[in-house]
Amino acid sequence: MKRIVIIGASSGLGRRISEDFARIGLRVGIAARREPQLKAIYERYPESVVYRTIDVTAPDAVERFYDLIEANGGMDILLLASGTGHINPQLDVATDVTTVETNAVGTVRILDAAYRYFRDTANDTPGQIAVITSLAGTKGIGIAASYSASKRFQSTYIDALDQLAHQEHVNIRFTDIRPGFIRTPLLKEGRNYPLEMAISYAAPLIEKAILRRKRVAVIDSRWRIVSGLWRMIPQCVWSRIALELKDSDNKS
Ligand SMILES: NC(=O)c1ccc[n+]([C@@H]2O[C@H](COP(=O)([O-])OP(=O)(O)OC[C@H]3O[C@@H](n4cnc5c(N)ncnc54)[C@H](OP(=O)(O)O)[C@@H]3O)[C@@H](O)[C@H]2O)c1
């Protein structure tokens, strides 16, 4: 039975993917900060799920992560789905620092620990490290500077660990999942997001990418085209594009 550990499982994509994987018979270790939400998933799938509270910004996150892996009977796949992000053109410092601590520093903590775990265990069967990064990491986005930069950080960190794993002959596959907008609690209610996807549509695409061990998965094909076009825009032009997101009751 495949064993997956999912960090950021208390809501949104992590929660949906945890439940889907538990339903198809994977052994699923789940974590986030909010215990009642984790317990509710455990109570629906007590045979397949174990849970621990983990705050990826806290120094004890690694210890708790290893404890969860042990409770799960081991780990074949890590899915890092924890994250936070805000529209913050006013550059509120506390918001930006929390975003970087969660998305960048938290990623370093968990991915370093997962790498070390697989280095010590994945001699025969390859381990897999999957992260839900974002297409927001494709370009610096002015109204969400710390979010877009921290998502770029995650993708670059995966690339770096992938190179290190080859260099050290460590048997780990890496999966960088880059979605466009998906309607989860991360998105502000009442605000319109372009090409928004339902979680019921996007989660199965993400699950397929993980199980097929894709190296990079853009979710979905429409966003693949959009992000391909973004990449071609020179920075001097990109800097002059005014991006904004409108509230749905104010579409004019
Ligand atoms: N929704 C989108 O449009 C979209 C698009 C591209 C990428 N993504 C990425 O997808 C991932 C999942 O987001 P989502 O859309 O599913 O949003 P979400 O519903 O807000 O889920 C975020 C998850 O991260 C956990 N989390 C946040 N801070 C944490 C911390 N310090 N320690 C541990 N867990 C923490 C939350 O749990 P607790 O609060 O209980 O800790 C929650 O389970 C994020 O990395 C996000 O950037 C989302």
Side-chain angles (χ1 to χ4, degrees):
M1 190 193 290
K2 261 209 184 325
R3 302 155 300 175
I4 186 166
V5 169
I6 302 180
I7 314 281
S10 60
S11 78
L13 294 167
R15 175 182 169 175
R16 170 66 192 244
I17 294 166
S18 300
E19 301 206 56
D20 287 349
F21 280 159
R23 211 175 301 117
I24 63 168
L26 271 72
R27 179 115 190 108
V28 189
I30 58 172
R33 292 167 302 179
R34 287 170 292 172
E35 186 165 12
Q37 283 81 348
L38 300 173
K39 190 162 175 246
I41 300 171
Y42 161 74
E43 283 170 350
R44 270 197 292 283
Y45 304 97
E47 305 293 318
S48 320
V49 170
V50 291
Y51 72 91
R52 293 287 185 274
T53 54
I54 297 178
D55 178 349
V56 298
T57 69
D60 69 355
V62 171
E63 196 184 316
R64 287 173 173 271
F65 176 48
Y66 284 141
D67 179 44
L68 174 60
I69 294 172
E70 200 180 322
N72 198 42
M75 174 174 77
D76 302 299
I77 308 170
L78 164 71
L79 173 62
L80 186 67
S82 53
T84 189
H86 300 273
I87 304 297
N88 186 25
Q90 64 281 14
L91 300 180
D92 173 66
V93 173
T95 301
D96 279 341
V97 168
T98 301
T99 301
V100 172
E101 280 177 354
T102 306
N103 299 354
V105 179
T107 294
V108 171
R109 265 204 188 93
I110 299 299
L111 293 204
D112 283 8
Y115 184 98
R116 286 195 299 272
Y117 172 83
F118 287 130
R119 187 180 55 197
D120 296 341
T121 61
N123 291 331
D124 304 321
T125 319
Q128 185 179 4
I129 292 178
V131 183
I132 306 182
T133 65
S134 176
L135 282 177
T138 310
K139 289 272 191 189
I141 298 174
I143 56 172
S146 60
Y147 183 69
S148 60
S150 64
K151 289 290 160 178
R152 177 65 151 262
F153 177 94
Q154 290 183 312
S155 291
T156 305
Y157 208 76
I158 294 166
D159 292 347
L161 291 189
D162 193 5
Q163 186 187 58
L164 185 65
H166 278 94
Q167 198 174 318
E168 296 191 329
H169 306 290
V170 177
N171 207 355
I172 307 177
R173 304 276 167 76
F174 291 85
T175 301
D176 179 347
I177 299 154
R178 301 178 186 170
F181 292 119
I182 303 167
R183 178 48 61 186
T184 69
L186 190 85
L187 301 191
K188 197 172 172 220
E189 265 185 57
R191 189 167 268 169
N192 285 327
Y193 294 81
L195 299 180
E196 193 180 301
M197 297 172 273
I199 199 165
S200 56
Y201 165 74
L205 298 178
I206 295 174
E207 291 158 14
K208 201 186 289 178
I210 295 168
L211 295 176
R212 290 187 178 169
R213 297 173 175 272
K214 286 195 76 168
R215 178 61 181 79
V216 175
V218 174
I219 310 293
D220 61 354
S221 50
R222 298 165 308 161
W223 277 103
R224 199 173 310 127
I225 295 166
V226 172
S227 61
L229 294 172
W230 279 359
R231 271 176 227 285
M232 290 158 64
I233 301 174
Q235 184 57 36
C236 60
V237 175
W238 179 261
S239 304
R240 284 163 179 74
I241 296 175
L243 293 178
E244 53 179 314
L245 295 166
K246 292 187 167 58
D247 291 340
S248 53
D249 54 359
N250 179 22
K251 291 178 185 154
S252 56

